[in-house]
């Protein structure tokens, strides 16, 4: 690769600016971007050389000078369903505004995940990882290598930037609301796979209020079809719960379909609640009581945090939690006249 790979319109390269100013190309990049320590006199020389040569830095040229790719990566367990789509939209929109392309890796049905993630890490400037998609020892390995990392929907982790939405408190509020309806027997549909993940926090919040009155019921996946299959088994059994609290909206929509298939009325025979507030939740019949979380903002904040880490702009490791909101609709039971339903 020669100097012309960092060309810009007009044929002037970052190498020529460096030669005119008598500095390295990395110093030119830092001076023009303001992303690192450069002495005042040196900065003036670089700016003067760039002006004399009418140099406008291309993204490819600056990235080349800094040994960077102008791209970051994001790893999801899969890309199906509206939840992941919303998070990805928020992430990609901000990354685009910041001038970065995004390389997406979906691990569902692919093996070995470890090698795929390591290969992706070598092609990007930083990596965002969703939940527990990547094994912990691989995360430790990547962090030790110095690769900028942001973990989405993840518990706090020393030395990392982690983001998630509130789970426990709104789950407690949801459980309390169902008790106010007079429900006394409950199932939590979509039992957690991994201790400490978002669904596990929701389960802990619900169980903290309902105790032994709530039974965990596993689903194969967090999808409409998996929710329907698990709910069919649950609702056709001899001890039907008064209310089914679902791990997310897709599972809840599957539970509503299962109730309909069995000739049960929601919410009169069984109440159903979800989590996320995807678009289908408000259009379901009955409309779904759920917990709204800022899915796009979760992705957007992850992209901003990763960009700051890549740029060395002082993003400190730490944990950030986004607010959620209990949304009361018709699927949990009738409400007094005048009660506002979202």
């Amino acid at each position: 690769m020669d100097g012309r790979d960092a060309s810009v319109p007009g044929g002037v390269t970052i190498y020529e600016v460096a030669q005119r100013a008598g500095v390295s190309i990395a110093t030119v990049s830092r001076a023009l971007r303001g992303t690192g320590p450069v002495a005042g006199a040196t900065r003036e020389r670089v700016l003067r050389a760039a002006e004399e040569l009418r140099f406008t830095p291309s993204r490819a040229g600056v990235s080349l000078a800094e040994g960077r790719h102008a791209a970051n990566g994001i790893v999801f367990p899969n890309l199906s369903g509206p939840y992941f789509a919303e998070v990805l939209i928020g992430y990609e929109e901000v990354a685009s505004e910041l001038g970065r392309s995004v390389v997406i890796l979906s691990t569902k049905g692919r093996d070995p995940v470890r090698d795929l993630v390591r290969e992706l890490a070598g092609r990007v400037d930083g990596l965002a990882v969703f939940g527990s998609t990547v094994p912990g020892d691989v995360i430790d390995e990547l962090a030790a290598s110095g690769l900028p990392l942001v973990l989405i929907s993840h518990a706090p982790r020393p030395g990392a930037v982690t983001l998630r939405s509130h789970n426990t408190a709104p789950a407690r509020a949801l459980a309390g609301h169902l008790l106010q309806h007079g429900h006394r027997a409950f199932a939590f549909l979509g039992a957690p796979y991994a201790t400490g993940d978002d669904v596990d926090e929701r389960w802990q919040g619900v169980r903290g209020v309902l105790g032994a009155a709530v039974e965990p019921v596993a689903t194969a996946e967090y999808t409409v079809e998996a929710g329907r299959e698990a709910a069919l088994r649950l609702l056709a059994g001899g001890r039907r719960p008064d209310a089914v609290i679902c791990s997310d909206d897709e599972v809840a929509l599957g539970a509503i379909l299962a109730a309909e298939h069995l000739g049960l009325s929601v919410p009169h025979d069984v109440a159903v609640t979800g989590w996320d507030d995807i678009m289908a939740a408000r259009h379901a019949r009955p409309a779904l009581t759920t917990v709204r979380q800022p899915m796009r903002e979760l992705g957007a904040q992850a992209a901003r945090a990763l960009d700051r880490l890549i740029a060395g702009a002082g993003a400190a490791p730490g944990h950030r939690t986004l607010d959620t909101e209990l949304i009361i609709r018709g699927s949990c039971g009738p409400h007094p006249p005048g009660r506002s339903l979202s």
Side-chain angles (χ1 to χ4, degrees):
M1 182 179 294
D2 63 26
R4 295 297 151 178
D5 288 326
S7 62
V8 296
V12 177
T13 70
I14 195 171
Y15 297 91
E16 291 171 277
V17 176
Q19 184 177 19
R20 172 73 67 94
V23 298
S24 69
I25 58 172
T27 298
V28 172
S29 175
R30 290 196 300 269
L32 295 177
R33 289 171 60 88
T35 57
V38 179
T42 302
R43 187 182 304 276
E44 287 298 322
R45 274 205 323 276
V46 171
L47 295 176
R48 186 166 57 251
E51 183 178 1
E52 291 171 354
L53 293 170
R54 298 182 180 179
F55 173 76
T56 303
S58 69
R59 191 166 312 284
V62 170
S63 298
L64 176 62
E66 297 178 347
R68 290 164 38 170
H69 306 276
N72 55 37
I74 187 165
V75 183
F76 282 99
N78 66 72
L79 293 176
S80 64
Y83 173 77
F84 292 124
E86 287 291 307
V87 174
L88 181 58
I89 288 170
Y91 185 90
E92 196 280 330
E93 284 178 346
V94 169
S96 179
E97 290 171 4
L98 295 169
R100 297 188 179 279
S101 58
V102 178
V103 183
I104 304 165
L105 171 62
S106 172
T107 62
K108 183 178 181 180
R110 305 184 66 183
D111 198 59
V113 171
R114 296 170 184 272
D115 292 342
L116 291 170
V117 172
R118 290 184 181 114
E119 191 273 334
L120 174 61
R123 297 164 47 205
V124 295
D125 300 316
L127 200 61
V129 177
F130 192 93
S132 55
T133 310
V134 177
D137 61 316
V138 178
I139 293 292
D140 291 338
E141 175 188 318
L142 297 176
S145 75
L147 180 74
L149 280 173
V150 172
L151 308 180
I152 306 171
S153 293
H154 197 284
R157 180 189 183 280
V161 173
T162 55
L163 301 163
R164 80 179 339 160
S165 298
H166 282 292
N167 289 297
T168 306
R172 293 178 65 88
L174 174 61
H177 179 79
L178 292 173
L179 286 174
Q180 291 174 10
H181 277 284
H183 303 309
R184 293 295 179 264
F186 304 87
F188 184 89
L189 194 61
Y193 291 147
T195 299
D197 70 4
D198 280 354
V199 173
D200 181 59
E201 283 199 336
R202 295 165 198 170
W203 160 245
Q204 297 297 337
V206 166
R207 187 172 62 173
V209 173
L210 303 178
V214 60
E215 172 193 4
V217 178
T219 58
E221 296 180 292
Y222 300 130
T223 63
V224 172
E225 186 55 37
R228 181 180 181 276
E229 291 176 0
L232 281 172
R233 294 190 297 271
L234 172 69
L235 298 177
R239 297 177 58 189
R240 190 176 74 222
D242 302 328
V244 179
I245 304 168
C246 297
S247 55
D248 67 12
D249 288 347
E250 290 191 81
V251 170
L253 293 172
I256 291 175
L257 291 175
E260 180 182 2
H261 178 80
L262 294 171
L264 300 174
S265 170
V266 176
H268 302 292
D269 295 320
V270 60
V272 177
T273 68
W275 200 285
D276 291 335
D277 197 27
I278 62 175
M279 184 177 295
R282 67 204 70 170
H283 298 302
R285 290 295 175 266
L288 188 62
T289 291
T290 187
V291 174
R292 177 181 296 157
Q293 65 167 322
M295 296 172 283
R296 288 198 186 192
E297 183 60 21
L298 193 63
Q301 289 209 21
R304 292 189 189 101
L306 187 58
D307 184 73
R308 288 193 293 270
L309 287 174
I310 293 170
H319 186 68
R320 195 170 309 152
T321 308
L322 281 63
D323 289 336
T324 52
E325 179 185 3
L326 177 60
I327 303 297
I328 305 300
R329 299 192 178 106
S331 70
C332 59
H335 297 84
R339 176 68 184 271
S340 176
L341 302 184
S342 297

